[in-house]
Amino acid sequence: MRRTGGTGKSPRFVSPYVKLAAPVLLTAALWSHLWLGHTGAVLLAIASALALLLIPKPSMVSPRRNGWARLVGFGERIWLNRLLVPVPQGLNRRLTTLYLVFWTGALVAGLGGLTASPILTATGLLVAYCAQITGFQKLVQLYRTMKDSDPLYRSWTLMAVNDNRRTAPERKKSV
């Protein structure tokens, strides 16, 4: 991602809704080993993961310019760009920790699905979802903190304006 500039288009991202659905969908696919066998369950989990990855990335253009899903996406883009535009260290550490906790919970839930352990599955999903929701809140906080630190970030919420009007100042001068 470039430090500044850009085309003025909103960034595209994997929807937070897909991120919320992924752990339970993949864990459920792994639980299917009780009916499909381990090979069938792993193949179903791989197919589910591919389906989640291939879902078209939703456009960020919507009537609600500041919906939570958009703000989460903006915060995630800023966090991923932290090598070029530094972010506050406290938020960076919290987000890194929350991602690690999320993946630990998701792996425990996946292990619970493979071993058909309701305790592992439930606790893993609980940990993963708590970390994910808290992480979403921190990403929104990061966006609100950093939105004025770079022109690219400011441009994400700007509305496009039609500059082809006859009354535009540059048209009046040339006519």
Side-chain angles (χ1 to χ4, degrees):
M1 180 191 263
R2 288 176 270 158
R3 179 168 164 74
T4 59
T7 61
K9 294 180 182 177
S10 295
R12 299 182 74 162
F13 68 104
V14 176
S15 170
Y17 300 113
V18 172
K19 290 179 182 178
L20 286 172
V24 74
L25 181 64
L26 294 174
T27 303
L30 291 173
W31 262 92
S32 69
H33 80 276
L34 296 173
W35 305 279
L36 303 176
H38 286 290
T39 305
V42 170
L43 291 175
L44 184 60
I46 290 170
S48 299
L50 288 175
L52 288 170
L53 290 174
L54 296 177
I55 289 176
K57 295 177 182 177
S59 175
M60 300 282 285
V61 178
S62 72
R64 294 193 57 212
R65 302 294 297 170
N66 292 323
W68 76 271
R70 292 171 50 87
L71 297 179
V72 167
F74 292 154
E76 187 170 36
R77 294 291 298 245
I78 290 170
W79 189 67
L80 292 173
N81 193 37
R82 69 189 177 275
L83 294 177
L84 297 176
V85 180
V87 299
Q89 272 306 330
L91 278 174
N92 186 30
R93 278 193 301 273
R94 285 184 191 104
L95 283 167
T96 301
T97 303
L98 287 168
Y99 274 104
L100 290 173
V101 170
F102 166 76
W103 281 109
T104 302
L107 289 173
V108 167
L111 180 63
L114 276 177
T115 60
S117 171
I119 301 267
L120 280 178
T121 301
T123 56
L125 286 175
L126 180 68
V127 167
Y129 279 118
C130 287
Q132 187 76 293
I133 298 299
T134 306
F136 284 170
Q137 292 171 347
K138 292 298 176 189
L139 287 170
V140 170
Q141 180 183 354
L142 178 64
Y143 170 69
R144 289 184 174 146
T145 302
M146 297 289 295
K147 69 181 174 186
D148 293 326
S149 67
D150 192 274
L152 177 63
Y153 302 157
R154 263 189 306 270
S155 71
W156 287 343
T157 54
L158 295 178
M159 296 291 286
V161 179
N162 186 355
D163 60 351
N164 292 329
R165 301 180 320 260
R166 287 194 166 274
T167 59
E170 54 276 352
R171 287 198 152 230
K172 286 182 179 180
K173 292 177 187 174
S174 64
V175 175

